[in-house]
Amino acid sequence: MSLVTFTSTLHKDKTVYAVAGSHTQTILSLAKEHHIPIDFGCGEGDCGTCLVKVSSLDGKRRPMGGPLNAREVAVLKEMGRVSQAEIDQMYVDDIPPNHWRLACQMIVRGGEDLLVEYPSK
Ligand code: FES
């Protein structure tokens, strides 16, 4: 089980439970389920609209999560949010290279409480 806290400058913080061991629940699907207004477009990892910043809730380290998938790598690189050196290191460490993720692509895994910062319009 994980707690995921969504925060933005315009909305009240909201903390929700993520399904334990889900292999399909994304940050975006969790946000939609709880009426958290993360902006999104394609829902398929192509447009970058759902960019969020994800941290461990304790703030002490990068979230473990899973490494970026190929779509996230392509879009985040294009947006200048991740460098090739960070991507190369990600494949060595098997954890995300930094805090930037696409909410529609990041699968929530159990065992780690997360802070998700999303942009406010
Ligand atoms: Fe388009 Fe996530 S909604 S990349």
Side-chain angles (χ1 to χ4, degrees):
M1 176 106 57
S2 293
L3 285 176
V4 180
T5 299
F6 291 90
T7 185
S8 81
T9 54
L10 286 184
H11 301 280
K12 196 175 169 200
D13 288 4
K14 191 165 187 179
T15 300
V16 301
Y17 283 108
V19 175
S22 166
H23 296 288
T24 57
Q25 188 173 45
T26 63
I27 293 288
L28 184 61
S29 65
L30 190 63
K32 284 178 174 178
E33 188 181 318
H34 294 280
H35 310 289
I36 294 158
I38 291 182
D39 200 12
F40 67 97
C42 66
E44 297 184 358
D46 292 327
C47 70
T49 308
C50 65
L51 181 72
V52 292
K53 189 175 180 185
V54 180
S55 312
S56 284
L57 197 57
D58 64 15
K60 292 181 182 157
R61 57 184 166 76
R62 285 184 285 171
M64 299 303 285
L68 311 183
N69 67 30
R71 289 180 174 192
E72 282 189 289
V73 166
V75 171
L76 293 176
K77 237 176 118 174
E78 195 178 309
M79 296 174 81
R81 301 294 183 168
V82 66
S83 68
Q84 185 59 51
E86 287 177 308
I87 292 166
D88 293 344
Q89 192 61 43
M90 171 184 79
Y91 291 122
V92 175
D93 297 341
D94 203 31
I95 59 172
N98 59 35
H99 297 277
W100 296 109
R101 299 300 300 254
L102 297 178
C104 72
Q105 297 299 301
M106 182 179 171
I107 303 289
V108 182
R109 293 187 177 178
E112 181 177 40
D113 295 338
L114 299 175
L115 179 68
V116 176
E117 297 172 58
Y118 61 99
S120 304
K121 287 184 172 179

